[in-house]
Amino acid sequence: MPTRFTIFLFGFASLFNLQSSLNAQENSPKDQPIFECDFDSEQWWRAWGLRQPPKRVAVVDSDDRLGFKPHLGRALRIRVDEGGHYGVSLEYRFAKQLGSEPEEIYFRYYLRLASDWSPKYGGKFPGIGGTYGRAGWGGRKVDGTDGWSARGLFGGLKGGKTPIGYYCYHADMPGKYGENWYWDRGGFPGLERNRWYCIEQYVTLNTPGMNDGVLRAWVDDQLVYEKPDVRMRQVDELKIETVWINVYYGGSWTAPADYHLFIDDVAIGKTRIGTSTNFR
């Protein structure tokens, strides 16, 4: 039969273990991504909440014709068809996946432009947004209460490189279409073909009504853009709804030929992610 002293020790140990567990939770690493996708799974698309893989994409580990070399394992090959606009549209919806929407997020992916990538004009690349199906894309101007977005953009080829930046719908936008904010800090010239780049984007939403929202971007861990005075919203109800893997050629213009690119090692986190590919 246990003595009172034994019971006391058992109870003390239980309380100590409970407190240790709570401390471990409080002190657990906060740099672990909340979402990862390396496209190595046979059913990778289920992680994005899809019932079947999207069109115009394939998961590949080789493609000599397009100058492909793996980053780590397989990658997602995306095609924009001649005469068309669309490459892919994948969305990680925070409310559906996590039950809530953040106000600050980091989004990292690896990008490789294929041998046939030679756009004369620009279009859209992956980014972050909160359109809620109401405003913030396609000429649907925002007013601070209905939506916002900070997708990526690419410009027409210049000197063999593709300029990239943010295509932003915000509450102070002058026209019905988003503004083009190119990443050029430190003389960043854009992206070459047939090379992997680590692209990381950061958004923190503004205090409603104030111009203190922040956009940043890094390429291969080099800060290439920072804008600390963006007003995305006027109301608390607008949050970060989605990370949007969107590849779209246009505007109104269409692709003059088939274009391809590759995406790999997508990660979403609460802190800087950088070039790391091993979070476990």
Side-chain angles (χ1 to χ4, degrees):
M1 179 178 295
T3 65
R4 290 183 179 180
F5 181 72
T6 302
I7 294 172
F8 169 78
L9 287 178
F10 178 79
F12 179 81
S14 298
L15 288 172
F16 178 81
N17 290 336
L18 175 60
Q19 187 61 49
S20 297
S21 176
L22 291 172
N23 289 340
Q25 291 179 34
E26 290 175 359
N27 298 321
S28 62
K30 299 183 184 303
D31 58 352
Q32 297 298 304
I34 59 179
F35 175 78
E36 299 175 64
C37 183
D38 59 12
F39 303 102
D40 285 335
S41 167
E42 292 296 331
Q43 296 188 334
W44 61 268
W45 33 272
R46 291 190 180 278
W48 297 88
L50 300 177
R51 296 182 178 179
Q52 59 186 13
K55 298 178 181 178
R56 295 177 296 278
V57 305
V59 172
V60 300
D61 57 14
S62 64
D63 194 331
D64 293 339
R65 182 180 68 87
L66 294 175
F68 175 75
K69 291 184 179 179
H71 175 243
L72 283 174
R74 304 195 301 175
L76 186 69
R77 184 182 65 201
I78 300 168
R79 184 185 75 250
V80 178
D81 291 331
E82 178 180 359
H85 297 285
Y86 294 96
V88 73
S89 182
L90 296 171
E91 292 189 71
Y92 181 88
R93 295 184 176 273
F94 289 97
K96 181 178 180 180
Q97 300 277 11
L98 301 179
S100 63
E101 295 177 338
E103 299 190 0
E104 178 184 31
I105 208 71
Y106 292 84
F107 162 47
R108 196 282 314 275
Y109 67 102
Y110 277 81
L111 174 65
R112 184 184 180 98
L113 305 176
S115 298
D116 65 356
W117 181 266
S118 55
K120 185 177 181 181
Y121 303 110
K124 285 77 176 179
F125 265 176
I128 303 168
T131 69
Y132 299 95
R134 300 190 298 259
W137 88 104
R140 297 167 177 84
K141 185 176 181 179
V142 304
D143 63 12
T145 68
D146 48 7
W148 68 277
S149 66
R151 277 184 289 175
L153 68 83
F154 64 89
L157 205 64
K158 293 182 180 179
K161 294 181 172 63
T162 298
I164 59 173
Y166 277 118
Y167 179 60
C168 191
Y169 280 75
H170 58 100
D172 295 316
M173 55 191 288
K176 64 180 289 189
Y177 293 102
E179 286 198 81
N180 297 342
W181 293 338
Y182 283 95
W183 302 347
D184 56 8
R185 180 168 174 161
F188 174 66
L191 308 181
E192 301 175 3
R193 288 181 288 243
N194 298 323
R195 178 189 155 183
W196 282 108
Y197 290 92
C198 178
I199 312 292
E200 185 162 2
Q201 295 163 258
Y202 168 79
V203 171
T204 184
L205 296 183
N206 63 295
T207 306
M210 297 182 65
N211 287 69
D212 59 0
V214 179
L215 295 177
R216 293 193 184 103
W218 296 261
V219 176
D220 293 340
D221 279 339
Q222 174 191 351
L223 183 66
V224 295
Y225 186 79
E226 183 171 35
K227 188 171 177 60
D229 58 356
V230 187
R231 187 168 68 97
M232 296 93 158
R233 60 179 181 168
Q234 196 71 15
V235 295
D236 281 321
E237 288 73 22
L238 293 186
K239 308 288 186 183
I240 299 176
E241 179 192 20
T242 181
V243 164
W244 191 0
I245 305 286
N246 185 217
V247 176
Y248 182 95
Y249 192 92
S252 58
W253 50 90
T254 58
D258 285 356
Y259 293 140
H260 292 82
L261 56 82
F262 303 90
I263 286 178
D264 201 0
D265 292 304
V266 174
I268 303 168
K270 297 179 180 179
T271 60
R272 273 295 316 275
I273 302 166
T275 56
S276 174
T277 54
N278 183 14
F279 304 111
R280 296 179 178 84

